[in-house]
Coordinates of all heavy atoms in Angstrom, one line a residue:
R714 N 24.7 -19.1 17.6 CA 23.4 -19.8 17.6 C 22.5 -19.0 16.7 O 22.5 -17.8 16.7 CB 22.8 -19.9 19.0 CG 21.6 -20.8 19.1 CD 21.1 -20.9 20.6 NE 22.1 -21.4 21.5 CZ 22.1 -22.7 21.9 NH1 21.2 -23.5 21.5 NH2 23.0 -23.1 22.7
V715 N 21.7 -19.7 15.9 CA 20.7 -19.1 15.0 C 19.3 -19.7 15.3 O 19.2 -20.9 15.4 CB 21.1 -19.3 13.5 CG1 20.0 -18.8 12.6 CG2 22.4 -18.7 13.2
V716 N 18.3 -18.9 15.4 CA 16.9 -19.3 15.6 C 16.1 -18.8 14.5 O 16.4 -17.7 13.9 CB 16.4 -18.9 17.0 CG1 17.2 -19.5 18.1 CG2 16.3 -17.4 17.1
Y717 N 15.0 -19.5 14.2 CA 14.0 -19.0 13.1 C 12.7 -18.6 13.8 O 12.1 -19.4 14.5 CB 13.8 -20.1 12.1 CG 13.0 -19.7 10.9 CD1 13.3 -18.5 10.2 CD2 11.9 -20.4 10.4 CE1 12.6 -18.1 9.1 CE2 11.2 -20.0 9.3 CZ 11.5 -18.8 8.7 OH 10.8 -18.4 7.6
D718 N 12.2 -17.4 13.5 CA 11.0 -16.9 14.0 C 9.8 -17.4 13.3 O 9.7 -17.2 12.1 CB 11.1 -15.4 13.9 CG 9.9 -14.6 14.5 OD1 8.9 -15.3 14.8 OD2 9.9 -13.4 14.6
I719 N 8.9 -18.2 14.0 CA 7.8 -18.7 13.3 C 6.5 -18.1 13.9 O 5.5 -18.8 14.0 CB 7.7 -20.3 13.4 CG1 7.7 -20.7 14.9 CG2 8.9 -20.9 12.7 CD1 7.3 -22.2 15.1
S720 N 6.5 -16.8 14.1 CA 5.3 -16.0 14.5 C 4.7 -15.4 13.4 O 5.3 -14.8 12.5 CB 5.8 -15.0 15.6 OG 6.7 -15.5 16.5
S721 N 3.3 -15.4 13.4 CA 2.6 -14.7 12.3 C 2.2 -13.3 12.8 O 2.2 -13.0 14.0 CB 1.4 -15.5 11.8 OG 0.6 -15.8 13.0
K722 N 1.7 -12.4 11.9 CA 1.2 -11.1 12.3 C -0.3 -11.1 11.9 O -0.6 -11.3 10.7 CB 1.9 -10.0 11.5 CG 1.3 -8.6 11.8 CD 1.9 -7.6 10.8 CE 1.3 -6.2 11.1 NZ 1.9 -5.2 10.2
P723 N -1.2 -10.8 12.8 CA -1.0 -10.7 14.3 C -0.8 -12.1 14.8 O -1.0 -13.1 14.1 CB -2.2 -10.1 14.8 CG -3.3 -10.4 13.8 CD -2.6 -10.5 12.5
P724 N -0.3 -12.3 16.1 CA -0.1 -11.2 17.1 C 1.2 -10.5 17.0 O 1.4 -9.5 17.6 CB -0.3 -12.0 18.4 CG 0.2 -13.4 18.0 CD -0.2 -13.6 16.6
A725 N 2.2 -11.2 16.4 CA 3.5 -10.5 16.3 C 3.5 -9.5 15.2 O 2.6 -9.4 14.4 CB 4.6 -11.6 16.1
T726 N 4.5 -8.6 15.2 CA 4.7 -7.7 14.1 C 5.8 -8.3 13.2 O 6.4 -9.3 13.5 CB 5.2 -6.3 14.6 OG1 6.4 -6.5 15.4 CG2 4.1 -5.6 15.4
I727 N 6.0 -7.7 12.0 CA 7.0 -8.2 11.1 C 8.4 -7.9 11.7 O 9.2 -8.8 11.8 CB 6.8 -7.6 9.7 CG1 5.5 -8.1 9.1 CG2 8.0 -8.0 8.8 CD1 5.2 -7.5 7.7

Side-chain angles (χ1 to χ4, degrees):
R714 193 177 296 262
V715 174
V716 297
Y717 186 49
D718 180 351
I719 58 165
S720 314
S721 57
K722 175 189 179 181
T726 52
I727 294 175

